[in-house]
Amino acid sequence: MHTYILLKSRPVALAVALGVGVAAVTAMPAWALEGATTATPASRAAPKIVLKPASSKAVTVPAAQALAEVEAALNALTTVRAEFTQTIPGQTTAVGQFYLQRPGRFLWRYGFPHRERILSTGTRLYYFEDEAGQVTELPRQHPMMALLGAATIDLKKAGFTLVEATRKADVLHVTMTLPDPDQGQNTKVVLALAGPLAGQPARLQSLTTYNQLGQPVRVEFSAWQAGVKLDKALFAFVPTVQKGAESGQVGGQAGGQVGARGDSR
């Protein structure tokens, strides 16, 4: 079951997303201390080695610095392929694949519990109910378009307002709001940006929005691969207006629907 927002009296699945973070703790191996006290005089005690764990305390990050880090991480992306898990309180967890080709093209492909897709072709945004064979065009004011649709991502220019930014270990947590003209109120967006670690660029670990009931819609990424080659057909869709179709409902052929694995293989 998915959470839906209303668009022209039609249900539209709300999916958001973008990175995966890994925290590591290094400890001295036991063999490194073997024999360390064999030559120590009786009058001197062997030194104690104390390993302190990484701080788990969240530290406030200045607004300008936080926005600059998020923009730098998103603007550094060219292509991405990843797995994702979407959770909403009280509902079945959804899983699928995420593909990104900047600027402006992305695909969320749900495999469970229902086969659904959200596709940005670079100029238009669509929601596919594959099991029902229906396609609905979505408004380009969707938060995903604001985060990923621009050639150069400028959060302030896109309308985002920073609410809070903190860093815990190697992860930057940012809470922002974005005006939603359809609902007449602000939409809350929370993202976690992990890294950079071991020479790897910073990346989105999770992305959370809130539905009309105020429930968090949280997407977490895994198997994140940046800079990979993707099949252009993944982001292709040629719409055709169906006779007698409701407003906003279209049909057509979408790239990557038959036999596509999401990459160039």
Side-chain angles (χ1 to χ4, degrees):
M1 184 177 180
H2 287 259
T3 292
Y4 295 92
I5 59 175
L6 295 179
L7 173 65
K8 297 180 181 178
S9 300
R10 290 189 49 80
V12 177
L14 177 64
V16 291
L18 283 223
V20 181
V22 179
V25 177
T26 304
M28 181 175 290
W31 53 261
L33 300 179
E34 289 181 3
T37 60
T38 54
T40 302
S43 61
R44 296 180 59 189
K48 291 183 179 180
I49 299 177
V50 179
L51 298 177
K52 295 183 179 181
S55 175
S56 59
K57 183 179 179 181
V59 179
T60 300
V61 178
Q65 178 183 337
L67 292 176
E69 286 190 38
V70 173
E71 289 173 352
L74 297 181
N75 283 317
L77 296 175
T78 53
T79 60
V80 171
R81 178 174 58 224
E83 305 290 324
F84 73 84
T85 301
Q86 177 182 290
T87 56
I88 303 171
Q91 299 192 24
T92 302
T93 298
V95 297
Q97 296 84 40
F98 171 71
Y99 306 95
L100 170 70
Q101 182 174 312
R102 293 189 64 242
R105 293 176 174 83
F106 56 79
L107 170 64
W108 299 85
R109 177 185 285 167
Y110 290 82
F112 179 85
H114 302 289
R115 290 189 299 108
E116 300 170 331
R117 287 171 292 153
I118 293 181
L119 170 68
S120 170
T121 65
T123 57
R124 294 184 181 275
L125 187 64
Y126 298 100
Y127 164 59
F128 297 80
E129 297 176 87
D130 289 334
E131 295 171 0
Q134 295 182 347
V135 185
T136 303
E137 184 170 358
L138 307 182
R140 287 184 59 83
Q141 291 84 1
H142 193 282
M144 272 290 92
M145 294 302 298
L147 280 173
L148 302 175
T152 300
I153 297 169
D154 185 323
L155 296 176
K156 285 188 176 181
K157 187 176 180 180
F160 285 97
T161 299
L162 183 72
V163 176
E164 181 184 33
T166 60
R167 192 185 308 279
K168 188 175 181 179
D170 68 311
V171 181
L172 175 66
H173 299 270
V174 177
T175 301
M176 302 179 290
T177 58
L178 179 69
D180 187 337
D182 291 331
Q183 297 188 39
Q185 60 185 10
N186 288 338
T187 297
K188 187 178 179 181
V189 179
V190 182
L191 60 86
L193 185 66
L197 288 174
Q200 295 298 315
R203 60 213 178 277
L204 281 176
Q205 184 183 64
S206 66
L207 189 59
T208 304
T209 58
Y210 290 77
N211 61 24
Q212 290 177 316
L213 299 178
Q215 298 172 306
V217 182
R218 179 179 174 83
V219 173
E220 296 182 82
F221 296 95
S222 61
W224 180 276
Q225 294 178 290
V228 295
K229 187 175 181 180
L230 300 177
D231 190 338
K232 292 182 180 179
L234 279 171
F235 312 102
F237 176 66
V238 180
T240 58
V241 178
Q242 297 176 345
K243 239 183 179 182
E246 297 179 21
S247 178
Q249 185 174 341
V250 296
Q253 290 296 321
Q257 186 170 0
V258 181
R261 298 176 58 89
D263 51 37
S264 58
R265 290 175 291 180

